[in-house]
Every structure is written in C-alpha cells, then in structure tokens.
Amino acid sequence: AAKITIDGELIFVLDEKCSAIEIRRLGDLTAVSRIRLDRIIGKIYAPLAFAVTDLGDCLAVLVRESTTGNTKVHLYELDFGEVVSEQWLTFEANFVCDQVPKLAISNDAESIFLQLGETIVCEISRDTRKEAKAFINAGHETSFRYIPIPYEVSNKNAFVDWQNYGRHGMK
C-alpha cells in the first residue's frame, strides 16, 4: 500500500509486514524517514489503517493497543516527511470488524473520518480528541460490493488475530 502527495513530492509506502511506513522523495526514491507503527515507546500495536493529507504534512494511523484493546488514532505532524510532533486520539466507537476499516483525514488535519463496515462512519475531532459525529446510513439506496475477508475479529479474539486483520486490510 502506498499514498502519493498531490504535489508528487513524497510517497508513503507501507512495508511488507505492515509494521512501518517509509517516506521517500518521489523523484529519486531517496528515503526521508521511517515511522514504526507496531512498536511505540515499549507498547505493541496492531496497525489497522492509515491516511495522509494531500500535501503529506499529516499522517494518521488507526491502531489497536495490545494490552488494553483500545482503538486509537496516532497522528503525526510532518515537515517534508520528517516527524515534528505526534498526538494520540482515543475514542469510543462501535467497532464492526467484518470489513476492512478505512481512514481519511481532512487537509487541515482537524478531522479524521473512520468508516467501519458498509455504512458506519464516525468523525473524530482533533481538538476535543473525541468522536464528533457518528451515523449509520441505514436507509441507503445504493448497493455496495461486499468484499469478504478470510475471518472476522472481535474483542474476544487474540491480539495476533488483530495484527493479521490489520495486515490483510492495509495490503
């Protein structure tokens, strides 16, 4: 999985184990930095999704913590691909894990949008660090293509199942 900035300056590439994101200059593929996603300050996380702003000045990563099972968003402020600050956003969400979660971030990095399942969407505010809005699009008329994954995960599953779920989804 990879994301390219709108100006074609940087490329964010997920490594083969889905444990880190490498940031490279697109012109010559020179490495700028590498951000580890699964081990941060002695804690172990299962990365589930990531998103980058159009200009690559902010990276958001959805993770599940191994010890508590909490779902968090790790937000990185970047300057030309190098981390200048980071912030954790903890939120409560009805986590439906029968489809791959999708993450998006507004260009001003003030809102993070998380799609869980077919029609469950929540917005997480960066200022309040809480879920700002959530809705279930129950009356939709549009049909969606359902892509089954090999297995589902829930809070009862082992942490390694969450790691495999995240690897599958991000690839």
Side-chain angles (χ1 to χ4, degrees), residues 103-114:
L103 198 64
I105 185 169
S106 63
N107 279 327
D108 62 2
E110 293 303 315
S111 296
I112 295 144
F113 300 90
L114 177 59

Side-chain angles (χ1 to χ4, degrees), residues 18-78:
C18 297
S19 61
I21 290 181
E22 294 179 5
I23 303 171
R24 297 179 173 268
R25 293 195 203 317
L26 195 56
D28 58 3
L29 295 180
T30 305
V32 176
S33 61
R34 186 173 196 269
I35 300 172
R36 188 79 190 252
L37 306 177
D38 64 340
R39 294 182 190 273
I40 304 163
I41 311 172
K43 291 188 178 182
I44 301 172
Y45 297 93
L48 303 175
F50 76 98
V52 180
T53 56
D54 284 348
L55 293 175
D57 52 357
C58 199
L59 166 70
V61 182
L62 177 68
V63 296
R64 182 179 173 92
E65 190 178 344
S66 65
T67 53
T68 63
N70 290 340
T71 305
K72 301 177 179 186
V73 172
H74 198 176
L75 199 60
Y76 299 89
E77 291 282 336
L78 305 169

Side-chain angles (χ1 to χ4, degrees), residues 3-171:
K3 302 203 187 248
I4 298 173
T5 57
I6 198 167
D7 58 3
E9 191 74 25
L10 299 172
I11 183 168
F12 293 74
V13 182
L14 192 63
D15 73 356
E16 66 278 353
K17 294 181 183 177
C18 297
S19 61
I21 290 181
E22 294 179 5
I23 303 171
R24 297 179 173 268
R25 293 195 203 317
L26 195 56
D28 58 3
L29 295 180
T30 305
V32 176
S33 61
R34 186 173 196 269
I35 300 172
R36 188 79 190 252
L37 306 177
D38 64 340
R39 294 182 190 273
I40 304 163
I41 311 172
K43 291 188 178 182
I44 301 172
Y45 297 93
L48 303 175
F50 76 98
V52 180
T53 56
D54 284 348
L55 293 175
D57 52 357
C58 199
L59 166 70
V61 182
L62 177 68
V63 296
R64 182 179 173 92
E65 190 178 344
S66 65
T67 53
T68 63
N70 290 340
T71 305
K72 301 177 179 186
V73 172
H74 198 176
L75 199 60
Y76 299 89
E77 291 282 336
L78 305 169
D79 186 24
F80 295 106
E82 295 185 20
V83 177
V84 291
S85 69
E86 51 188 286
Q87 180 181 19
W88 286 96
L89 306 175
T90 304
F91 64 97
E92 295 290 324
N94 184 13
F95 219 87
V96 177
C97 299
D98 60 352
Q99 288 194 359
V100 177
K102 294 173 187 70
L103 198 64
I105 185 169
S106 63
N107 279 327
D108 62 2
E110 293 303 315
S111 296
I112 295 144
F113 300 90
L114 177 59
Q115 180 182 1
L116 303 164
E118 252 181 32
T119 58
I120 302 168
V121 176
C122 67
E123 176 187 357
I124 303 147
S125 169
R126 181 177 178 181
D127 289 338
T128 62
R129 298 181 183 199
K130 293 185 179 173
E131 186 178 290
K133 300 174 198 162
F135 68 91
I136 299 175
N137 191 12
H140 64 82
E141 305 261 334
T142 307
S143 64
F144 291 90
R145 192 175 115 212
Y146 181 80
I147 302 172
I149 59 172
Y151 56 86
E152 296 178 12
V153 290
S154 69
N155 287 333
K156 297 175 186 173
N157 285 82
F159 182 71
V160 71
D161 294 329
W162 281 91
Q163 287 176 311
N164 291 333
Y165 176 78
R167 285 183 189 121
H168 173 79
M170 289 195 295
K171 285 182 179 177

